[in-house]
Amino acid sequence: MRKDKLYFLTFISISIIFLIIASLGVKYFIEVSANQLIEVQLESSKREANEIAKLINHQLVGGIDRQKVIENIQNTIENTHNEASFICLFDWSGKEVCHPDITKVGQKVNSDQMLLNSLNEEDSSDKLYDLLINRKKEKQKDSINSSNVHSEIVYITPVIDSDLIVAAHANIDEISSQTKKLKTSFYTIFALMGGLIILSSFFAVRIIGSYYEKQLEEKNINLESELLNLSKLNTDLVAYKQKVVENTTNGQSEPLSDSGKKRILTYIRNELVPISIDEIAYIFTENTITYVICFNGKKSTSNVSLDDIFMSLDPSLFFRANRQFIISIAAIEKIIKYGNSQLKILIQDADVEIIISKNKASEFRQWLNI
């Protein structure tokens, strides 16, 4: 139940994070894409306006009647006002001479000079969408003009040697429609992408979580097994110590093995001191000197190497833990797991920790089972 709750919370968290990022990302992508779309249309309108201005100039210079030129232009652009951008022609008095909507011919040009100046600024490419949409909102607030104005002049160029001016219009309604389609496309893409990301992330979390849960379970099983082994080792240690005590109580003071000695000779300063085997807690070597430590804390030295001393001791009572230490079964207080399959031996009444390597650990277990 806890796992299902964790997976559910993970799913909710991923969904919330994606929605926050997507909401910011979609807005940015829509603005950038809309600005690029409007910029392309604006550049196309500018080129078209310049070409028509040159065409009118060539026709007038070629001697074609002005009225005939106007009629030709009117026939060319008629009914193009429903497109995203279109061209119109007006004179210096501000009256429409040619317009895609023939009902506009003869009317005064309705344009926003501030908008026109803003659109022709060098840094206007990143705010075209905002300029045009904000202009539409302003027009909609004006109840008198909102029903008549659906476009804005975005570029003008004069016809040389005439009183005519070519204007490029942006159809705000059509641009808004294109932008809405763009928004719909982006939201659809982000919704599909979000669903795939959220579902794939959810399943990935479940797969990875299950893998680590399995690994954790295996570690717990291994840990339980190691704890049982350590418990068994300490139990064997207690049993073996009890056996030694019982043998001593029954008068068996001699070693449990015929090969062991009853005492060894050591030195305290220049004095030769015999130490009973039963009194030795552990023996270690340091800086090529062999030290013999008794249960009462008495410390003496020996000229014999650690290898030779171990050969003379009863192997049922003493164990060669490593190259540096020999320990007595009676001196071991506790056995602890250490590192990777290693063992740490704690000595009674002494601040000494003896490490038994992985290779020696199995031998140590067998020794306790003697």
Side-chain angles (χ1 to χ4, degrees):
M1 187 66 183
R2 290 183 179 179
K3 293 180 183 178
D4 294 337
K5 186 177 181 181
L6 177 62
Y7 291 142
F8 177 74
L9 292 175
T10 303
F11 177 79
I12 296 298
S13 300
I14 294 174
S15 301
I16 293 173
I17 292 171
F18 177 81
L19 288 175
I20 294 173
I21 296 174
S23 61
L24 299 175
V26 168
K27 183 178 179 181
Y28 171 77
F29 285 123
I30 288 175
E31 289 183 358
V32 170
S33 300
N35 283 328
Q36 289 179 347
L37 177 64
I38 297 171
E39 185 178 7
V40 170
Q41 293 175 347
L42 179 60
E43 290 299 320
S44 177
S45 298
K46 288 180 179 180
R47 287 195 298 270
E48 186 178 2
N50 289 330
E51 291 297 327
I52 290 179
K54 290 179 183 179
L55 177 62
I56 294 173
N57 175 256
H58 286 313
Q59 290 179 348
L60 293 176
V61 172
I64 300 176
D65 183 65
R66 180 179 183 275
Q67 189 60 35
K68 184 64 176 175
V69 172
I70 292 174
E71 289 177 1
N72 292 335
I73 296 298
Q74 178 63 38
N75 291 332
T76 302
I77 67 173
E78 196 164 343
N79 295 324
T80 60
H81 57 287
N82 293 324
E83 299 176 0
S85 61
F86 59 90
I87 298 297
C88 73
L89 191 66
F90 62 92
D91 58 21
W92 283 1
S93 65
K95 286 185 179 181
E96 296 280 4
V97 176
C98 294
H99 195 282
D101 185 359
I102 197 168
T103 61
K104 302 285 186 179
V105 176
Q107 295 183 9
K108 281 284 186 180
V109 174
N110 190 349
S111 65
D112 188 339
Q113 187 62 39
M114 291 181 62
L115 174 64
L116 188 60
N117 292 336
S118 298
L119 289 171
N120 286 285
E121 291 176 358
E122 293 183 357
D123 62 343
S124 66
S125 60
D126 59 345
K127 57 183 180 180
L128 296 173
Y129 173 73
D130 292 334
L131 288 171
L132 291 178
I133 297 303
N134 290 337
R135 179 60 179 161
K136 181 182 179 181
K137 291 179 180 178
E138 291 173 4
K139 289 294 183 181
Q140 287 176 341
K141 291 179 181 179
D142 186 352
S143 60
I144 298 176
N145 298 324
S146 61
S147 60
N148 298 323
V149 179
H150 301 284
S151 64
E152 285 293 340
I153 295 177
V154 293
Y155 179 73
I156 57 174
T157 179
V159 178
I160 300 174
D161 298 330
S162 74
D163 64 340
L164 300 176
I165 299 174
V166 180
H169 283 252
N171 189 331
I172 298 179
D173 291 338
E174 182 63 24
I175 290 174
S176 297
S177 177
Q178 291 178 354
T179 305
K180 286 180 181 178
K181 292 179 181 178
L182 193 65
K183 285 182 179 179
T184 303
S185 299
F186 268 110
Y187 282 124
T188 302
I189 292 171
F190 267 83
L192 294 174
M193 184 175 65
L196 290 174
I197 291 175
I198 291 171
L199 289 176
S200 59
S201 300
F202 175 72
F203 285 115
V205 168
R206 291 205 64 169
I207 293 171
I208 296 172
S210 299
Y211 172 76
Y212 278 104
E213 285 175 5
K214 186 176 180 181
Q215 294 282 65
L216 186 60
E217 287 177 1
E218 290 179 357
K219 287 183 179 179
N220 288 336
I221 292 172
N222 293 334
L223 182 60
E224 289 177 0
S225 176
E226 290 174 354
L227 288 174
L228 289 173
N229 290 334
L230 285 176
S231 177
K232 186 176 183 302
L233 282 176
N234 284 283
T235 302
D236 292 340
L237 175 63
V238 172
Y240 196 55
K241 284 184 176 181
Q242 184 65 30
K243 182 178 180 181
V244 172
V245 170
E246 289 176 356
N247 289 334
T248 304
T249 304
N250 294 332
Q252 297 179 5
S253 58
E254 68 276 0
L256 296 178
S257 173
D258 296 337
S259 61
K261 292 183 177 180
K262 292 185 178 182
R263 62 183 64 85
I264 60 174
L265 292 177
T266 63
Y267 293 88
I268 298 179
R269 297 185 182 86
N270 294 325
E271 182 181 353
L272 187 63
V273 179
I275 302 292
S276 174
I277 298 298
D278 297 337
E279 298 177 1
I280 299 175
Y282 62 95
I283 306 170
F284 72 98
T285 181
E286 186 178 32
N287 298 326
T288 68
I289 300 175
T290 301
Y291 296 92
V292 179
I293 310 299
C294 296
F295 286 102
N296 59 7
K298 184 169 68 175
K299 183 177 181 180
S300 58
T301 62
S302 174
N303 293 331
V304 183
S305 67
L306 210 62
D307 292 333
D308 293 338
I309 291 179
F310 184 68
M311 292 295 294
S312 65
L313 296 174
D314 186 346
S316 64
L317 298 178
F318 291 89
F319 181 77
R320 180 70 180 270
N322 50 45
R323 294 181 179 179
Q324 190 179 4
F325 281 90
I326 297 173
I327 53 177
S328 168
I329 182 69
I332 299 176
E333 180 179 11
K334 190 180 293 184
I335 305 169
I336 302 174
K337 182 181 180 298
Y338 180 80
N340 185 17
S341 302
Q342 295 177 320
L343 298 175
K344 181 190 290 186
I345 307 300
L346 302 183
I347 302 299
Q348 292 179 0
D349 301 326
D351 188 16
V352 178
E353 296 179 351
I354 301 172
I355 306 301
I356 298 180
S357 67
K358 179 180 179 180
N359 296 330
K360 275 276 189 179
S362 59
E363 182 183 343
F364 179 73
R365 289 187 177 94
Q366 292 178 359
W367 177 66
L368 287 180
N369 287 326
I370 296 177

